[in-house]
Amino acid sequence: MTASRVLVLNSGSSSVKYQLLDMADRTRLAVGLVERIGEQTSRLVHTPLTGGGARREQTGPIADHGAALKAVAAELAADGLGLDSPELAAVGHRVVHGGTRFTRPTVIDDEVLAEVQKLVPLAPLHNPANVTGIQVARSLRPDIPQVAVFDTAFHATMPEYAARYAIDTEIADRLSIRRYGFHGTSHAYVSRATAALLGKAPGEVNVIVLHLGNGASASAVRAGVCVDTSMGLTPLEGLVMGTRSGDLDPAVIFHLARVGGLSVDEIDDLLNKRSGLLGLCGDNDMREVLRRAGEGDQAARTAFETYVHRLKKYIGAYAAVLGRVDAVAFTAGVGENAAAVREAAVSGLEELGLAVDAGLNSVRADEPRLISPEYARVAVAVVPTDEELEIATQAFELVTH
Ligand code: ADP
């Protein structure tokens, strides 16, 4: 028996999401999450997907990530899926920032872990939790490979002129200021799945991927290779998001400081947590924005229009970057579910060969599907993302090849 299971861990500052997959047949064995770690009201939700077991939930204090992973291990063991099993081939960790060094999935040793730690200033909210998750998983199973899969990696192929900000090169290089891009695992998965939907190899198609979740980013993928993406040094640049502003004139920051009297931390908080849809209308969930806009709420309508306008600008920009576009793929919470966003983002772009069929666009399904009419020159697709499967696939390939 060869080991074929991969545990995927996505460790946040106060949460751990996990999935156990069997890569022999690419099935999920169990999924779950622990949230509010460190509080009195921590919650673990665990769902076994084999053996007919039901969803289980426990609440009560879970002190830290170590205790969280032990609780997860106990849940898995109760389903006969214990992490001590010889069938476990690897643990795949989502790591947000890989800097310029990590452009591929990487087996973690002490040196790699130290390097990931060094990248904390570039991702202060994310990399520390990722490091903790790695340390805890390593202590639980030091004998199996722990693999880091980086959110930035897929974008490492961006040409220099797309990765550079037009600022003093010496300062930029000294402070590692450049465009890295994020959601790379999703952009990689979705661009490949879109090619498959068209019956083509990834190398045969140019795709614009629109990952629209709480965070949102667009990417231009030429023949399977990322050539541009909307997020930059941090996940703040680009599209309008749930709570993040996306693009703005950098002088807005000077103005907030000089005229508004805000500190750097206050501006950081404003632009990352209190802007985007939330800042524009008071709601960050697109479902709520759509409901209110439908009832004629002006602020919600403006929020929707601002969101869609930015999206449309990026579609146009990436059509120009790619020269030839074969497909535009919508993914993540908003992209997969909000037909109104898809319809509005593409409307008026017939000259670019883009159109959406209202009937196809309104269909709900979990499968990748086309929503463009037969005559359209460019395929418009809804392609559900699966970052966990992609992380497991990359980790498993690395340890078995
Ligand atoms: P994350 O970026 O946290 O992984 P998701 O990709 O799950 O998030 O996207 C979450 C967002 O998707 C929610 O905030 C919500 O705005 C949006 N969303 C989910 N379902 C719908 C829906 N049916 N209609 C519109 N938006 C939706």
Side-chain angles (χ1 to χ4, degrees):
M1 180 185 64
T2 50
S4 59
R5 288 181 191 164
V6 177
L7 176 70
V8 176
L9 290 181
N10 182 353
S11 306
S13 56
S14 66
S15 69
V16 177
K17 291 186 198 146
Y18 64 93
Q19 291 196 2
L20 183 66
L21 296 97
D22 191 335
M23 297 315 289
D25 52 6
R26 293 163 71 87
T27 53
R28 258 167 266 263
L29 303 173
V31 303
L33 87 158
V34 189
E35 55 187 3
R36 296 195 291 272
I37 294 169
E39 295 179 33
Q40 290 302 309
T41 56
S42 313
R43 189 166 80 113
L44 192 166
V45 182
H46 175 85
T47 309
L49 301 172
T50 55
R55 179 180 185 276
R56 302 195 289 275
E57 189 175 324
Q58 50 170 288
T59 49
I62 295 179
D64 52 30
H65 284 71
L69 201 55
K70 287 207 178 92
V72 170
E75 290 293 338
L76 288 167
D79 297 326
L81 300 168
L83 297 183
D84 51 356
S85 163
E87 288 186 60
L88 191 64
V91 181
H93 297 267
R94 176 192 181 208
V95 179
V96 168
H97 217 305
T100 47
R101 163 155 175 197
F102 296 111
T103 59
R104 301 183 166 281
T106 305
V107 174
I108 299 160
D109 57 19
D110 290 339
E111 193 266 334
V112 169
L113 196 58
E115 281 298 311
V116 173
Q117 186 95 47
K118 272 197 209 151
L119 294 167
V120 164
L122 287 173
L125 297 178
H126 295 104
N127 272 34
N130 300 156
V131 168
T132 307
I134 292 167
Q135 286 167 331
V136 167
R138 267 179 118 193
S139 68
L140 222 57
R141 280 298 300 269
D143 56 318
I144 61 162
Q146 309 280 329
V147 178
V149 177
F150 298 91
D151 261 28
T152 46
F154 183 61
H155 306 301
T157 49
M158 276 196 287
E160 194 66 6
Y161 53 76
R164 283 249 171 228
Y165 291 109
I167 62 170
D168 184 292
T169 305
E170 188 277 321
I171 295 176
D173 291 350
R174 179 157 45 83
L175 298 176
S176 305
I177 297 172
R178 61 188 283 119
R179 307 188 60 255
Y180 295 95
F182 298 87
H183 291 143
T185 309
S186 177
H187 287 283
Y189 177 86
V190 171
S191 56
R192 276 209 315 275
T194 304
L197 180 66
L198 300 180
K200 300 257 172 78
E204 293 177 297
V205 293
N206 294 348
V207 186
I208 297 173
V209 178
L210 304 169
H211 176 110
L212 312 176
N214 281 315
S217 63
S219 68
V221 183
R222 176 182 290 132
V225 174
C226 179
V227 293
D228 206 350
T229 194
S230 61
M231 285 177 166
L233 174 73
T234 76
L236 184 54
E237 190 179 344
L239 300 174
V240 176
M241 313 185 206
T243 65
R244 293 179 217 146
S245 63
D247 295 336
L248 39 74
D249 180 346
V252 169
I253 293 163
F254 317 146
H255 192 82
L256 286 165
R258 292 186 189 129
V259 181
L262 273 70
S263 70
V264 170
D265 285 345
E266 285 167 340
I267 297 172
D268 190 328
D269 185 74
L270 175 73
L271 298 182
N272 272 298
K273 300 195 179 144
R274 293 188 284 125
S275 295
L277 294 173
L278 181 69
L280 287 165
C281 77
D283 272 306
N284 65 304
D285 191 316
M286 185 56 86
R287 282 166 289 208
E288 213 33 40
V289 176
L290 289 172
R291 188 192 62 73
R292 283 172 51 193
E295 290 173 355
D297 182 316
Q298 194 50 50
R301 202 171 272 181
T302 301
F304 175 78
E305 287 168 357
T306 309
Y307 184 99
V308 166
H309 178 68
R310 185 82 52 85
L311 201 49
K312 201 176 269 196
K313 287 211 290 192
Y314 270 93
I315 295 172
Y318 288 172
V321 166
L322 290 171
R324 187 199 83 222
V325 182
D326 298 297
V328 173
F330 287 88
T331 195
V334 175
E336 291 167 30
N337 297 299
V341 170
R342 297 192 296 257
E343 201 265 326
V346 167
S347 90
L349 301 185
E350 292 80 8
E351 286 292 321
L352 294 179
L354 285 161
V356 156
D357 177 279
L360 294 174
N361 190 31
S362 63
V363 172
R364 287 191 163 272
D366 295 332
E367 297 298 312
R369 61 197 184 277
L370 290 174
I371 58 169
S372 43
E374 290 259 325
Y375 65 79
R377 206 166 66 236
V378 178
V380 181
V382 180
V383 179
T385 193
D386 195 336
E387 289 164 281
E388 290 79 11
L389 177 60
E390 180 67 21
I391 290 171
T393 303
Q394 292 191 17
F396 191 64
E397 273 175 9
L398 184 65
V399 302
T400 52
H401 286 96

